[in-house]
Amino acid sequence: MKILVLNCGSSSLKYQLFDMDGESVLAKGLVERIGIAGSRVKHNKGNADAVVRETDIADHTAAIKIVLDLLLDGSTGVLKSLDELSAVGHRVVHGGEKNDRSVLVSDKVIRDIEECIYLAPLHNPANLMGIRAMQTALPNVPNVAVFDTAFHQTMPPKAYLYGIPYKYYEEDKVRRYSFHGTSHAFVSARAADILGRPIESLRLITCHLGNGSSLAAIQGGRSIDSSLGMGTTPGVLMGTRCGDVDISVVLYLMDKVGNVGKVSDILHKESGLLGISGVSSDLRDVEEAAAKGNVRAELAADILCTSVKKYIASYAAVMGGVDAIVFTAGIGENSDVTRREVTKGLEYMGVKLDAAKNTGLHGKEAIISADDSPVKILVVPTNEELMIARDTERLTK
Ligand code: AMP
């Protein structure tokens, strides 16, 4: 069964074509600057070098046509006919409260995604463009929507409600949703496999640390708390997003800057590692500057690690303990320094890192806790695309 996975942004489209027999990636690529001058597509067939084509791409429908042509082309392609394509899985950022799992796209599902646009104004419209473009290009191929929010819909009200008048929840569904659900679901299931224990018996804390970051408390395979919120700024320090800040800071900035859009830009695009360090939003640059003695870069990395540590301890408290801590995404998978600093000082709760196993480990699955550590520490590379492909296969087989 061949499944195409699409992740559409407002001016971009990432894709991967899976052969589900063996779960291999046949081709993948990225279309950039859709609707903007300088559009281009970068396509990889298997492990071959990328092919880059620069051509005008007016909209997502045009982008999808180019992708399908590349998949069929004699030199870049991996399909003889589009009939080989069994289904398309779409990453959809917000499913609201109605969607607690992946679904086969129908008119009603499209209306539900539209209804959530006010909760994800940048992402849901782009995700819908991808779905509609695919429906136009291949009307007989089923589409599946896989929501970033769905996995966290198991959070209880005590975790998802904010301490504001209840009517805002009732009338406007103002609440914590959190995101990266597909990643948290993937790495928690994989961690249980690696540990050889049923996920139902485990208390896990998954740390998805990348440009955007979130932690989740996962008890018995269900997300019971997660650090992003109604939006994508709360929780731990991120590349350019602020993490938890006191509302007074927001009100102060509103007063000082006097413009909602500008304050939103400050908190989403100018804060985090970039805002503190003044160097970069990329942790590699920040770590490099810190190593050369840049005090603000050192501080930014320190704030990131401390914020992650605080969430780990609070989620352990909520679950009455923790069996394993799982690191994933760009930082979690690659930064041994971050993993070391985050776990340092948590020995009191049974977290003992094995320095030798941790040091130099990049992007590979491993248990990095000491053999006698009561709490296991794991690195599990995330694979949201594969998770989307699996859900798509399950719902369309
Ligand atoms: P993601 O959003 O998951 O792609 O993660 C991006 C983040 O991972 C950026 O902050 C990168 O600096 C960070 N990252 C990737 N590789 C490394 C590395 N080898 N060491 C430290 N950070 C890394």
Side-chain angles (χ1 to χ4, degrees), residues 11-30:
S11 65
S12 69
L13 183 162
K14 278 191 217 150
Y15 60 93
Q16 283 196 21
L17 179 69
F18 284 88
D19 183 347
M20 296 311 285
D21 305 327
E23 297 189 330
S24 60
V25 177
L26 299 175
K28 63 181 176 181
L30 168 67

Side-chain angles (χ1 to χ4, degrees), residues 180 208-213 238-239 273 280-287 304 328-338 361-362 382 384:
H180 301 136
H208 177 110
L209 308 177
N211 252 326
S213 301
M238 296 174 238
L273 290 173
S280 170
S281 61
D282 191 300
L283 185 69
R284 282 166 292 201
D285 302 336
V286 173
E287 284 182 348
L304 163 64
T328 193
I331 295 172
E333 291 166 27
N334 292 297
S335 174
D336 48 5
V337 177
T338 301
L361 184 80
H362 300 298
T382 193
E384 287 157 286

Side-chain angles (χ1 to χ4, degrees), residues 308-376:
V308 176
K309 192 193 302 254
K310 283 184 188 172
Y311 268 93
I312 289 177
S314 64
Y315 285 169
V318 169
M319 293 192 288
V322 52
D323 299 300
I325 298 168
V326 186
F327 287 98
T328 193
I331 295 172
E333 291 166 27
N334 292 297
S335 174
D336 48 5
V337 177
T338 301
R339 295 189 300 252
R340 184 191 71 209
E341 293 304 310
V342 164
T343 49
K344 194 185 323 183
L346 295 180
E347 293 81 5
Y348 77 93
M349 49 184 260
V351 178
K352 274 168 74 181
L353 187 75
D354 182 320
K357 289 180 188 157
N358 179 50
T359 306
L361 184 80
H362 300 298
K364 280 207 199 98
E365 247 178 29
I367 299 178
I368 55 168
S369 42
D371 292 343
D372 63 345
S373 178
V375 178
K376 304 296 170 211

Side-chain angles (χ1 to χ4, degrees), residues 54-132:
E54 292 185 11
T55 172
D56 284 347
I57 305 174
D59 54 25
H60 285 70
T61 307
I64 278 175
K65 180 164 182 336
I66 288 176
V67 171
L68 295 178
D69 286 348
L70 283 165
L71 292 175
L72 284 172
D73 184 276
S75 62
T76 58
V78 286
L79 298 176
K80 288 200 181 68
S81 149
L82 290 176
D83 291 342
E84 288 177 55
L85 206 56
S86 303
V88 182
H90 299 260
R91 176 184 181 222
V92 178
V93 164
H94 221 301
E97 278 196 328
K98 283 188 187 159
N99 290 289
D100 62 357
R101 64 201 66 191
S102 304
V103 287
L104 200 56
V105 172
S106 63
D107 290 347
K108 177 174 177 314
V109 168
I110 289 188
R111 281 197 300 279
D112 285 349
I113 298 171
E114 281 170 343
E115 267 177 33
C116 294
I117 285 177
Y118 79 106
L119 292 165
L122 295 180
H123 293 97
N124 272 27
N127 305 151
L128 277 170
M129 281 195 272
I131 292 175
R132 290 200 171 105

Side-chain angles (χ1 to χ4, degrees), residues 19-53:
D19 183 347
M20 296 311 285
D21 305 327
E23 297 189 330
S24 60
V25 177
L26 299 175
K28 63 181 176 181
L30 168 67
V31 188
E32 289 176 293
R33 302 180 65 85
I34 299 171
I36 310 172
S39 332
R40 58 182 220 142
V41 53
K42 191 173 160 199
H43 174 87
N44 287 81
K45 172 182 172 178
N47 294 324
D49 286 346
V51 175
V52 178
R53 296 222 172 125

